Structures are given as structure tokens and as C-alpha cells.
Amino acid sequence: MTDVHILGVGMTRFGRHPDSDAADLGAEALLEAVADAGIDARAVEAAYCGHVFQGMVTGQRILAEVGLAGLPLTNVENACSSGATAIREASLAIRAGEHDVVAAIGTEHLTSSFKGALTPDPSDPEAAVGATMPGVYAMRARRYMEEFGMTREQLALIPVKNKANAARNPLAHFKTPITIEDVLESRPIADPLNLHDCSPVTDGAAAVIVMSDRALRKYGGDRAVRLAASALRSGSVDVEPVSMTFEPLTWATAQDAYERAGIGPGDVDLAEVHDCFSIAEVLRVEGLGLFEQGSYPAAVERGEADISGRLPINPSGGLIGKGHPLGGTGVAQVVEVVRQLRGEVGDRQIEGARVGVAHCRGGKAVGIEGAACTVQILVR
Amino acid sequence: MTGAETQTSFRPNELEVCPDGAGHLLGSRCGSCGAHFFPVREACAGCMGRDLETIRFSTTGTLYTFSIVRQSTPEFEVPYALGYVDFSEGVRIMGQITGCDFEDMRIGMSLALSLEPFGEDDEGNPLTGYRFQPCEVEGD
Ligand SMILES: [Zn+2]
């Protein structure tokens, strides 16, 4: 079976885009990815497009904008893992031998489709009693504080770190570093989480060009990064209540990915993880086995997760700093990891990075520990 | 209709409202392995058994964790307390918590199911939903 390689990556500026829509943003990202790969756009054989609230045939509108209408195109919805799932589907098409060059796009024009607190689908029993996503993560934060003694100040260090990283990322939504005090004094959203603990409402898109061994030989490319694993799981139904301070779904998906890649958490040089809220970053990196359960807040305090640290987490700024255009998020994480492994990110470069992980998790339904989770491992 | 006002459950599949005003949260019990689920399921996630029976859960539980929600969707007036409550059958159910000052809430407190007005239907008729209220537990 062929390996899967990423040769081209593209990404729009993340932020507010009042004069564009999701298709415009997706088209911009796709054209950049094609140019970055150094291939003729007509070499692309199929495409997958992840988005959540953008309506029917958003992917087809993107292809129409860039002159590629006619390709097999699949729209993918998997909540916040939609874009990452599009990459997985593209990689499966390559591994199956059906295609040699496939585009994966993720896009979202969130400012025009959504305001306030994200909630589970309105039909869900928990949404019906007032569940919000910030509320659910706030409850997990409170429980984590109770069990592991994490302080509110330690939790605040995560947005401080991620917005400092974002300030070094010209494509990020936020450009201004913040302090612990800024986090603690920002507007309360769901106790103990404040506004700075939450990822923003962001417009943006990203795209990657994946290809087979055969296509890579044809198009050349010492800039290629190998997608060593692209794992996907859906959350299981709990047979009895389980801890909300650990993520079996993230853990299981990560085990799938590590096994496929032949790589363990000890080999990882950097990770982009789904920090939709500050507490989420804690749960993700511990679920990925990158830090022991209960240890991450103190590790952040010691600077271990900084760009200059032992294991940098969310060097792009993460969802909190770079922004979180739902469908775009998972693809943008892979764009960041690819650029890090190629050494192309200027003053946020992690020296000598060879192995990177991208983790996404999205959605919530009653009785299910998370809806969709992806873990991708990239190796150069 | 005459006489006593009938109460209508906001979600009859999850909350049973009896004529006497009592109520129960509903779920499934697996006849093969005994696992319980909220809400009602078609098959058991533990053993894949299909002989699930719909049951009424006990009406008191223990607060696993909570938050004070200060930003929500338009149908919910903020702030409100939201919590996960563990029941002895082995299910964890989310609900709002009333009858308690925010600062007095603590993980592990005992809570009882409380049927309360909960919005209205499309024709403007009032609906009955559930929240949880602090309670004393026998033998505590
Ligand atoms: Zn069973």
C-alpha cells in the first residue's frame, strides 16, 4: 500500500471576513495549496471539503470558483473535526489506490452563521435543559481543579501561552499577547471559564494537497511531509459514568494513530491540539499521552509547552489564539504542522522538529463522551 | 377540559409527568447485562443486547460537577446553574440546579428531581420540565 504525502498547503488569514463567504475562503486556500505543491491544478483528481454550518454543496462552489468543477467532491460534516475528517477521507482515497492526487479543504464563515455560545444540536436532551459547550467544558474544568488541584491562575496560563504564540503568527485571529490578569478579569462565560478561556468566532479556510508515492515521484518534492497516520473515532456510549477529567476518546484515537505510524508519544516534537477552551488543551494533551494525567498545568507553568519548551503545544496559537473556523480548524492544524516540519514559520519555528501531531475533537450528544475525534501524525 | 390543570412534559421521551404532579426521568435497563442508559436506547452499548426495558430512575442523586452559565441561547435566561448529577442506577444526567445560592453549591451535594415550568409549546401552552434542588438524604 502506498504512503500518503502532503506536498502543498494553503491557509487564509483567520479572523473576520465580512466581504467573503465560505466558498471564497476555501477557494483562496485551495489555490494557495496547489501553488505551494507546484503542480498544475488539473492534476487534482478528487476533493473533500469539511464544513459545519455552510449549507449544501459548499465544496462544489469552491471547485466552481477555481475552475475544477467536475471532480468527484464529497462534503464532510463531523462537527469541529470536519476538516480533519476531510483529510482522512482524502488519505483513504490515496491508500485505496483510487486516486493519486487529492485535495482536502476545510472552511467556515462562522461570523455570518452563528453568535454567542455554541450548543449541541437543539434536538439533544442536554441542549433542551440549557447545555452550552462552554458550560460543559467549565464543568470539566471545575472537576479537574477539584481532583488535581489545578489553580485558576494555572489554567489562565494556557490562553496566555497560546495568544503569545498567535502574536507571532501573521495569519492568526488575535495579534496581541495577554496576561494572567487579562484572563481573570475578562467577562465570565461559564464559571470558572472567562472570555479569554474560549476560542473566538472566526472565519477562515485551509487546504492541503495529498498524494501517493507514485505522484510524489512524478512531482518531486523534498518539501513533502508524510502523513503517517490519520485516525478517526466516534465517541462511545458510557455504560456507567466515567471521569470527565480524562478523555477515553482522545486516548483511543491516539492509540490507533500511534500504532499505524509506528510512533509513540515520546517521539513527538510538537502538537496542535483542539483547545476550543483552555481546559480542553489540558484534557487533550493528557489524553494523547503527551503529558501524564494531572501534570499538564504545572508543566505549562514551567514553560514546557512553550515554543522554546520541551514539547511545544499549539505553536500556531491554537484555536484560542489563531481562531476556530469550525471546518477550517482541523486542516489549519495540519498546515501549521507541515510548515513547522519544513522550517517555514519564522520566529515561531521549533528547531529540529521532525514529528508532529494534529488532534481535533468535536461535537457533543447526550451520553456520549465526545462525538468525533481525529489524530493525525506527520513525519518529515 | 375541566378541573385540575394537566401538566405536559417538555420532552415526554425523557420526562414522565404523572397526573398527581409527580415525575420521573426515563431511560433504559438492559435485560441481559443490567446496564442503565439515559436517555432511552435501542440497544445496549455494553453487550449489544436488544431486550431493553424503559424504566423510571430514582429521583435523588449526587452532584458530580457544575458551572454557572452566564452566556447561553435566547431561550434560557442567564445566569443559571448547570450540573451533572450521578444516580445510583449508574447514569449521569445533566440539568439545571435551583433552590440553592450559587456560592453554596459544592461537588458531592445531594439533589432531588424537581418538576418545574419549563418554557411553552408552539401554541403558547406551558410545559413542565425538570431541574434539581438540594435535598437531605436519609441516613446522611
Ligand atoms: Zn447489556
Side-chain angles (χ1 to χ4, degrees):
Chain A
M1 205 188 329
T2 178
D3 278 333
V4 178
H5 311 272
I6 297 180
L7 187 57
V9 297
M11 176 180 158
T12 68
R13 177 180 63 78
F14 274 18
R16 301 181 71 82
H17 285 276
D19 302 324
S20 316
D21 66 16
D24 299 331
L25 295 170
E28 180 188 334
L30 176 57
L31 288 174
E32 188 190 356
V34 167
D36 184 56
I39 60 173
D40 186 317
R42 286 166 292 190
V44 176
E45 299 167 22
Y48 294 84
C49 181
H51 51 92
V52 180
F53 292 124
Q54 304 309 309
M56 283 189 282
V57 301
T58 296
Q60 284 84 342
R61 290 195 287 130
I62 293 170
L63 294 189
E65 281 200 36
V66 304
L68 284 174
L71 298 186
L73 181 287
T74 307
N75 290 282
V76 177
E77 189 277 305
N78 235 353
C80 303
S81 297
S82 297
T85 304
I87 293 177
R88 172 182 156 86
E89 293 301 319
S91 76
L92 293 179
I94 301 283
R95 281 193 205 281
E98 184 71 17
H99 296 295
D100 284 300
V101 181
V102 181
I105 311 152
T107 188
E108 205 79 37
H109 199 274
L110 201 53
T111 57
S112 62
S113 34
F114 161 79
K115 274 199 192 86
L118 192 61
T119 65
D121 190 79
S123 65
D124 186 82
E126 292 186 341
V129 298
T132 65
M133 293 310 285
V136 170
Y137 278 91
M139 287 193 274
R140 301 182 76 181
R142 185 182 303 277
R143 187 75 201 186
Y144 191 100
M145 292 165 100
E146 172 105 349
E147 288 184 24
F148 298 105
M150 175 178 70
T151 65
R152 185 62 189 86
E153 287 73 18
Q154 283 179 322
L155 186 57
L157 284 170
I158 290 168
V160 168
K161 167 179 73 71
N162 292 357
K163 285 190 171 165
N165 293 352
R168 302 193 210 175
N169 182 350
L171 298 177
H173 191 148
F174 290 112
K175 304 286 198 287
T176 313
I178 56 168
T179 64
I180 291 180
E181 290 68 34
D182 292 332
V183 179
L184 300 184
E185 288 161 16
S186 62
R187 180 162 57 88
I189 300 295
D191 305 357
L193 302 182
N194 294 345
L195 186 62
H196 276 306
D197 291 289
C198 306
S199 51
V201 175
T202 301
D203 306 322
V208 298
I209 305 296
V210 300
M211 56 180 61
S212 64
D213 292 337
R214 182 168 55 193
L216 189 65
R217 280 194 297 276
K218 178 174 174 186
Y219 296 109
D222 46 4
R223 297 174 72 241
V225 168
R226 186 164 60 88
L227 181 60
S230 182
L232 168 70
R233 280 204 180 214
S234 57
S236 56
V237 168
D238 298 332
V239 176
E240 57 187 14
V242 296
S243 167
M244 287 175 63
T245 60
F246 188 74
E247 298 195 331
L249 175 59
T250 293
W251 176 264
T253 312
Q255 296 310 306
D256 291 347
Y258 292 139
E259 188 178 328
R260 168 59 72 104
I263 274 172
D267 303 315
V268 174
D269 297 315
L270 75 136
E272 288 279 316
V273 305
H274 202 80
D275 59 325
C276 44
F277 302 95
S278 52
I279 181 64
E281 182 168 303
V282 179
L283 303 170
R284 298 344 179 192
V285 299
E286 294 182 359
L288 288 164
L290 299 174
F291 292 83
E292 269 183 46
Q293 198 188 8
S295 75
Y296 187 63
V300 171
E301 209 166 15
R302 291 191 296 269
E304 290 183 28
D306 291 347
I307 285 173
S308 59
R310 175 177 74 80
L311 178 46
I313 302 296
N314 284 325
S316 72
L319 281 57
I320 287 176
K322 180 171 84 243
H324 183 22
L326 313 179
T329 290
V331 183
Q333 289 179 330
V334 169
V335 170
E336 173 72 11
V337 174
V338 166
R339 287 177 173 164
Q340 284 280 357
L341 299 185
R342 286 174 176 173
E344 295 176 344
V345 291
D347 66 356
R348 67 176 194 285
Q349 182 64 49
I350 297 157
E351 291 308 322
R354 199 185 67 83
V355 176
V357 164
H359 163 278
C360 262
R361 225 185 102 118
K364 173 90 184 81
V366 66
I368 294 176
E369 191 264 314
C373 183
T374 50
V375 175
Q376 322 213 43
I377 299 180
L378 295 118
V379 178
R380 184 131 196 267
Chain B
M1 204 183 316
T2 56
E5 254 182 65
T6 322
Q7 296 187 34
T8 307
S9 173
F10 80 138
R11 293 175 69 94
N13 291 339
E14 286 126 35
L15 178 70
E16 174 191 44
V17 180
C18 305
D20 66 356
H24 292 90
L25 289 165
L26 302 175
S28 297
R29 179 184 181 282
C30 177
S32 306
C33 75
H36 288 78
F37 301 95
F38 175 85
V40 169
R41 301 287 186 195
E42 288 291 324
C44 174
C47 72
M48 293 306 293
R50 293 294 307 270
D51 58 335
L52 267 58
E53 106 184 92
T54 298
I55 54 123
R56 299 164 159 172
F57 290 117
S58 55
T59 56
T60 59
T62 305
L63 185 59
Y64 175 76
T65 186
F66 65 96
S67 174
I68 311 306
V69 176
R70 300 181 187 277
Q71 179 183 322
S72 188
T73 51
E75 58 265 44
F76 294 101
E77 194 182 324
V78 290
Y80 56 88
L82 190 68
Y84 271 113
V85 180
D86 285 346
F87 289 83
S88 58
E89 291 87 353
V91 292
R92 179 174 295 153
I93 299 176
M94 182 191 282
Q96 293 184 26
I97 296 151
T98 53
C100 184
D101 289 342
F102 293 157
E103 51 271 30
D104 293 335
M105 294 183 59
R106 57 183 167 76
I107 287 173
M109 69 195 294
S110 297
L111 296 168
L113 186 70
S114 167
L115 269 61
E116 301 184 9
F118 214 103
E120 45 190 44
D121 67 15
D122 293 343
E123 276 121 43
N125 304 308
L127 295 171
T128 297
Y130 71 92
R131 294 188 177 85
F132 299 108
Q133 288 207 5
C135 68
E136 301 295 323
V137 174
E138 280 176 52
D140 212 16

